[in-house]
Amino acid sequence: MPSQKKLSDLMEEVQFSSLLEKSSLANRARLLSITSPRAAAWISVTPSISQGLHLLPNEFQVAVQWWLGINPSPTSSQDGSLLICPFCPSSTLDTLGHLCVTCRCGGDVTTRHNALRNVLYTTLHRASLSAHLEEGSSWSIEKPKSRPADILVANWDRGFSAAFDVSVTSPLNPFHIVEVGISPGTAAKATEERKHRNNDAKYAELGWHCIPMVVESYGCWGTEARQALSQLASRLAVRTNTNKSQMLNSLYGRLNLTLIRCNARAIFCRSHFASCEQVVPDNVFV
């Protein structure tokens, strides 16, 4: 006789499969991404204002609605016309917030990238690892402003330095949404492969190993990022005399909460002020 837990798990699997079959391609990609391992780590984080582990009320409301696929705000005005992104007038808002979390105008993509990078950088130092930001700026005369490594970690593995390349991708990207709708993590994997194609040669010149730290906008981390985070949690656990599982949960929680907060802010700014037709103030979340 199967246990109650096994029966409940089977029922949930059947219900989830049914939900996937009835969903659109975009919603299917969203569902697979949010149900991937560790994607929901931000939900179980114990709020702490002093440690920056919290969401403001408007951030939390927008984040939950977006996470559940509920349109956090209207995408059309009262006269039925589509709302335009206040930062890129050539683009219209969509119901799943894809434009809001991928729009490169307004600085939100850069802010999110730097926020995730800084969490990793701080954690590496807590683990007593030698880490440096934005290294390799002089690797190429042709590209003097290029910085191959968001974070360069010395002696990461077998004496080799590791170049952490932080990147956020969206599973709703039209270039690979068909594959993403079949299996989770496809968007992250595609970005990892692109990072290797673009960077492996120059990393080899510098004697570094390329580690793409790729995460999908809903919190599904790429394979190489998960391996690196596991290794980092092991070192941090030894350093702090703490259980590795506990450190890994804490690390994913902080990273994904940072990711979701930045996404919520990007969605709120664009959707709210597009509907109000106002200029976005700089201190809306202060």
Side-chain angles (χ1 to χ4, degrees), residues 204-227:
E205 291 180 30
L206 297 168
W208 301 345
H209 281 175
C210 171
I211 301 183
M213 301 297 290
V214 182
V215 60
E216 295 180 1
S217 54
Y218 288 102
C220 173
W221 288 84
T223 302
E224 294 185 62
R226 293 199 304 271
Q227 293 171 350

Side-chain angles (χ1 to χ4, degrees), residues 85-88 100-115 262-263 265-266 269-270 280 282:
C85 174
F87 296 106
C88 48
C100 295
V101 300
T102 58
C103 176
R104 295 190 174 275
C105 302
D108 290 293
V109 166
T110 301
T111 299
R112 181 180 61 194
H113 169 275
N114 292 345
C262 292
N263 288 341
R265 291 186 174 191
C269 285
R270 284 162 178 77
V280 181
D282 294 332

Side-chain angles (χ1 to χ4, degrees), residues 17-77:
S17 297
S18 176
L19 181 61
L20 284 179
E21 291 177 3
K22 297 176 183 177
S23 299
S24 64
L25 195 58
N27 259 317
R28 196 179 308 151
R30 177 186 62 83
L31 288 168
L32 289 172
S33 188
I34 67 174
T35 54
S36 63
R38 306 286 185 176
W42 66 278
I43 298 175
S44 59
V45 172
T46 302
S48 172
I49 296 177
S50 63
Q51 297 184 37
L53 299 175
H54 69 290
L55 295 173
L56 298 176
N58 52 359
E59 293 172 345
F60 182 76
Q61 181 179 5
V62 171
V64 171
Q65 289 177 319
W66 169 72
W67 180 264
L68 296 176
I70 302 171
N71 188 12
S73 62
T75 54
S76 59
S77 59

Side-chain angles (χ1 to χ4, degrees), residues 89-100:
S90 61
S91 303
T92 57
L93 302 182
D94 60 278
T95 57
L96 292 179
H98 170 67
L99 173 70
C100 295

